[in-house]
Each structure stands twice: as C-alpha cells, then as structure tokens.
Amino acid sequence: MELSRHWRLQNQRYRLVGEVCDTCGVKIFPPRDICPECSKPAQELYTFSGRGEVYSFSTVYNAPAGYEEYAPYTVALVKLVEGPVLTAQLTDLGETEPEIGMPVEMVTRQLRTEGDQGMIVYGYKFRPALAAAV
Amino acid sequence: MRDVFIAGIGQVPVGEHWETSLRHLGAKAILGAMEDAGVDRLDGLYVGNMLSGPLNQQEHLGALLADFVGQRGIEALKVEAACGSGAAALRVGYAMIVSGLAEIVGVVGLEKMTESRGPETTAALAMAADGDYEADHGVTFVALNALLMNRYMVEHEVSHADFAGFAVVAHANGVNNPNAMFRRPITAEQFVRSGVVASPIGMLDASPIGDGAAAVILASRDVARALKTSRPPVRIAASAFATDALAIHDRSDLLFLDAAARSSHKAYEQAGIRPNDLDLFELHDAFSIMAALSLEACGFAPRGGGVRLAQDGTIALDGRLPISTMGGLKARGHPVGATGVYQVVEIVQQLRGDAGRNQLPNPLWGMAQNIGGSGASIITHILQAPE
C-alpha cells in the first residue's frame, strides 16, 4: 500500500514542486536539498510551469506488475522549460505520433490502481501542448 | 598494495534451473571454484545478488551459502549494486585481499529469476531505477534503455538495424560455450524483425534473464603460489568502481556513461595500460545500446561511433577488440547479480587458454565491465594473463 510514501510525494506529483539553488540558481526536480551542480544546500521551493518538450520516448508493450492493464503506453523523458528533465507517461495523444522535440504540458492523471480495495495513485503525465496554452 | 590473484573459477550453465534451488546453484559454483583452486578453507565469502528478496523470499545469503559450502563460521555477506552486484562483490573480495584482512576468499554471483511471473520479474528489475520518479511511472528496465536508444538513434542519425552486429556476434560466440543459455546463431534480418518489447528495443536487442551462478577464488600472491592446483593464477591488475545519478533523467549527459568513463580510466591507470593494449573486453551488453555506449565511454570510439564497431568487424573473435567472447549477456544470458562474475570467469578462461573453440590467440589483457541499473554503478576489472 505504501500510503505514506505516496502522500509524501503529493507536492511533486500534483504540482511539480522542486527547488532552486540559491548559490548557482539552477532549478532542481525532484527536490533533494543539495544542488546537483554545485553541491551547496538548496532548499528554496520552486514550482515548475509544467511546460516542456519530449527529449526521448518509448512505447512499452511488456508492462511490469501493476501496470499490465494499461499496456501499451508511452513513457518519455520530458525536458522542462526551466531546465530539468523528468520521466513521465505521455497521455491524450489521440492520433498524434510522439516525436522528439514535441511541446508537451503537465496534466494530472491516474498512474495506477491497486485493485478494487486499494489506492488510486495519481500523478503527473504530459500531453501535447494545447494551442491555446502556448 | 598487495597483488590479488584469481586462483580458481566455477560456473553453472545459465538457464531455467527448475530442479535446483537458489542456494544449491550458488553452492555448485563456489564448490567448483574451490576444487579448481585446490582449496578447502576460505577466510570469507562475498555474494553478489540483486533480487533474492523479492523473487526468492530469501535474504541473508552470506551466512546461508557459507554454511552450505561447508564454511560455517567464516565472514560472509551479500553485496548489492543492481545488475552490477557480481562485480561489486568481486571488488569487496579484492579489497579484503589487497588490504591484508584476508588471504583467500570466495566471490560468487548468483541469481534465480525464472520462478516468478514475467510481470513480477519486470517489476522487481525496475527496483534498480528510481522508485519514486521512474518506476512509479510505469517505466521498465527495458524502457529506460529504449529511451537512451531512441535519443541515440535520432542524435547520431543511425537506424535500429545498425545495432544488429552486437547481437549477431554475441550469438555466434555463444554457440561454442556450454554454459551459454542461447547456443544458436542469429542473422541481422532476424534482429530487425524481432518483436518490439519497448520501442525501439526488440527482443533480440535484449539479453535474456535466467538462473545462474559463477564464482572465483581470490588469493594473495603467497597463498596463490602455494595452492595444490595445476591452474596458473590470473592477476587482477585493476579494480575500479564509479557511480552516476540513479535516474537517467538526472544525468548531466544522457548519452554518455560517465561512470564507465571514470571506472575504466581509473582501471587503465591502475593496470598501467592503454585501451589499445586490451586483447578482449567483456562488456555489459544487457541491451545493444549499452554495448555502444560502453565502447564510447571506455575510449574505443568517439561519441556516436560505438555502433560502427558492430558493423566493421572490430568486435568479432578475429577483430581488433573481441567482445562477448563466450556469448556476452545477450547469448550466455543475464542472471543479473551473477553476470559480473561470469564475465570475469570467462576472461580467466581466455587468459588461461581454456576457452575452447572461442579461444583467442595468446591474449595478455582482458577487461570486464559490469553495469548496475542503466549506468548508475559501473565496475571495471582488468585481468592479466599468467606469466
């Protein structure tokens, strides 16, 4: 179930809250309290815009336990406009073929369910950027 | 620092060992290595294993295996660094001898992966990635390599078919290895047509999981010389370990294996050789993209050039830098925590002249590189042929 683990991640999963290094200014996601660039403390919170582009992607046909019902699905490395890269599923693709460089934006979606009695885990996915939002 | 020698080797064929338990697989390899070295007593035992907890409901492998090889009482522990666990255990054993804390130790790499359902094994392997920020998003281990490969293909303008040579060479070499899981050749056409697992990675890009165990006995110079065996001891000329960000999205450069560059260059310096001095390289071809990235990071090809070595004959048994000489991860099989020790066992076979039909002509230097995760833990060892 790992209830507390998923609860702890709510600010990252629902709002893309990371950090900014007040020494070198680099934006950090996920938060780690230590700047990966200059190794100085970095604890100032920073909320990312959720806009970015596809850096790489792959469509998964052999899913792990817990994700089998969703296969095939497409995972991607998304490079946020603020700099960091994160891993997430692409969603709402419709007829759109994903490609490297495609502009995307964050949405909140179901990541998985843990059976009829278990948790429904929500988090970020990325969809093709809507024209009105660009 | 004291010199460390490999005095004995043991291995079981990689495959589906339904009739043999985890502990007996490990014991067979260790007892085989002890017999090869002519020893009946160890100072310590180091067990490389990744998934015995989730897949076999068994941890605490050090004490278990020490007891089941007749060494109850000695120091023994499990070492874990994902798919790099085997070489990580070797490094711990090496450190024990180098430091003088022990005179003779056993190292075994061990994994039993065929008792669980595929999706459960896939989920367990994903534990090598970042749980909160990769695995929770449905990313499999294959998918991480697929993300690397897709970007590589676009950035370097190469096609999926350009990678075929890695799998073709590995399968050709596996034919003559009685311990290999796959002992049949494949063609480039079969590679291209194989079913997609996670685009662009196909079935024949990926190494097979399996059950396996391989072991070595390490000894100091004086103890190795005094052993009652006809086997010439093989010196470990270098041992180096480096890390990178666990999650591939946190890498400063997605298409460069920084930990491979760090650990291989430390190893070259320690051994006092240059990359061109190597006669063979057992690299971590868990996926064809990983072989290309390793060759680049270790100094054998410029960026984007690793895949070319799969096309020009360089990596074949009669090429300038033979790789996967006994089948590699692709054809020998990849029982994850065991792999790093299989690689070293195979180099010892080559350096002793015991590699059968795949024997290279008088090799002097062999390098093994074992990768944990998608490049976060990379361990490099260089072995020198007996005098």
Side-chain angles (χ1 to χ4, degrees):
Chain A
M1 291 283 278
E2 306 175 286
L3 284 171
S4 54
R5 182 166 81 86
H6 294 301
W7 169 79
R8 268 197 313 275
L9 289 166
Q10 59 183 309
N11 286 331
Q12 284 70 51
R13 292 254 174 93
Y14 302 160
R15 285 184 290 278
L16 285 183
V17 175
E19 289 165 335
V20 57
C21 174
D22 50 16
T23 305
C24 74
V26 75
K27 310 286 200 315
I28 303 160
F29 188 87
R32 50 176 76 197
D33 296 353
I34 293 287
C35 177
E37 297 294 326
C38 70
S39 300
K40 296 284 192 328
Q43 297 179 343
E44 188 181 330
L45 297 181
Y46 179 89
T47 302
F48 287 84
S49 66
R51 289 182 291 113
E53 64 174 48
V54 173
Y55 192 76
S56 191
F57 66 92
S58 170
T59 301
V60 177
Y61 295 91
N62 288 37
Y67 296 84
E68 293 160 276
E69 63 186 287
Y70 307 104
Y73 51 85
T74 300
V75 297
L77 295 174
V78 173
K79 186 166 176 57
L80 300 172
V81 293
E82 296 90 347
V85 179
L86 54 73
T87 302
Q89 286 184 28
L90 298 182
T91 188
D92 300 9
L93 284 168
E95 298 301 305
T96 309
E97 285 289 324
E99 59 182 330
I100 289 176
M102 181 173 85
V104 290
E105 61 191 13
M106 178 219 171
V107 289
T108 303
R109 291 285 188 274
Q110 186 181 305
L111 293 182
R112 71 165 190 267
T113 58
E114 297 180 344
D116 292 343
Q117 306 293 316
M119 289 199 348
I120 302 173
V121 181
Y122 289 93
Y124 49 80
K125 292 187 182 182
F126 284 76
R127 70 181 175 195
L130 299 178
V134 173
Chain B
M1 295 213 304
R2 307 201 303 170
D3 278 335
V4 180
F5 291 84
I6 297 176
I9 56 175
Q11 60 184 320
V12 300
V14 179
E16 297 188 3
H17 290 279
W18 293 354
E19 75 291 357
T20 309
S21 66
L22 179 79
R23 73 185 68 177
H24 285 113
L25 277 177
K28 273 187 189 181
I30 298 163
L31 293 171
M34 289 174 69
E35 185 183 349
D36 190 50
V39 301
D40 56 13
R41 193 68 197 158
L42 301 173
D43 294 336
L45 178 66
Y46 305 96
V47 183
N49 171 272
M50 176 183 174
L51 296 171
S52 69
L55 295 187
N56 314 113
Q57 290 71 52
Q58 179 69 64
E59 289 288 7
H60 214 165
L61 298 185
L64 177 68
L65 285 164
D67 190 19
F68 274 74
V69 297
Q71 304 291 315
R72 190 184 295 181
I74 65 169
E75 168 179 313
L77 58 98
K78 164 170 161 170
V79 182
E80 191 274 324
C83 316
S85 298
L90 178 64
R91 176 146 171 87
V92 172
Y94 171 89
M96 294 301 292
I97 306 287
V98 159
S99 63
L101 285 172
E103 292 297 327
I104 186 159
V105 302
V107 174
V108 61
L110 170 64
E111 206 77 63
K112 188 158 179 63
M113 308 178 72
T114 66
E115 289 193 323
S116 40
R117 248 169 24 96
E120 277 143 22
T121 311
T122 302
L125 283 167
M127 291 186 204
D130 184 323
D132 289 349
Y133 294 99
E134 290 183 320
D136 269 356
H137 295 273
V139 175
T140 62
F141 211 63
V142 186
L144 291 172
N145 284 273
L147 291 167
L148 298 175
M149 191 174 193
N150 194 11
R151 182 77 196 182
Y152 186 100
M153 286 165 53
V154 169
E155 215 165 280
H156 297 309
E157 298 181 333
V158 296
S159 73
H160 178 249
D162 291 335
F163 290 85
F166 290 119
V168 170
V169 164
H171 274 257
N173 295 347
V175 169
N176 294 320
N177 179 5
N179 293 301
M181 185 164 177
F182 292 150
R183 301 191 62 192
R184 56 175 199 278
I186 61 162
T187 64
E189 291 73 43
Q190 286 173 309
F191 174 88
V192 171
R193 286 201 313 266
S194 68
V196 177
V197 184
S199 63
I201 287 183
M203 199 71 85
L204 291 179
D205 283 282
S207 56
I209 62 166
D211 305 336
V216 294
I217 304 301
L218 306 182
S220 63
R221 181 185 292 272
D222 290 345
V223 169
R225 276 188 180 154
L227 291 174
K228 296 190 192 80
T229 176
S230 58
R231 305 296 197 181
V234 169
R235 189 171 76 95
I236 299 181
S239 171
F241 194 135
T243 56
D244 198 349
L246 189 67
I248 64 169
H249 56 234
D250 284 331
R251 305 270 164 86
S252 55
D253 183 344
L254 185 69
L255 297 183
F256 188 75
L257 293 176
D258 191 58
R262 283 177 199 267
S263 75
S264 64
H265 288 86
K266 269 198 273 188
Y268 297 144
E269 190 179 350
Q270 197 183 339
I273 64 169
R274 291 169 304 174
N276 285 341
D277 294 325
L278 289 169
D279 298 298
L280 72 151
F281 180 19
E282 292 299 336
L283 51 66
H284 192 93
D285 55 335
F287 298 92
S288 53
I289 179 65
M290 233 357 109
L293 294 176
S294 297
L295 288 165
E296 293 171 20
C298 295
F300 298 107
R303 295 189 55 143
V307 72
R308 306 271 171 241
L309 304 185
Q311 299 163 333
D312 64 8
T314 301
I315 60 171
L317 282 183
D318 60 355
R320 184 170 50 78
L321 183 72
I323 68 168
S324 308
T325 66
M326 301 302 278
L329 281 63
K330 178 70 198 78
R332 177 237 299 125
H334 183 29
V336 289
T339 288
V341 184
Y342 275 101
Q343 293 176 311
V344 168
V345 162
E346 290 158 358
I347 292 178
V348 171
Q349 288 179 297
Q350 288 284 3
L351 298 181
R352 282 176 175 180
D354 288 341
R357 294 182 63 182
N358 290 359
Q359 181 63 51
L360 301 170
N362 302 312
L364 297 178
W365 299 97
M367 182 161 85
Q369 186 167 76
N370 191 196
I371 299 183
S374 318
S377 292
I378 302 192
I379 309 101
T380 306
H381 287 95
I382 294 176
L383 309 188
Q384 182 180 18
E387 286 152 14

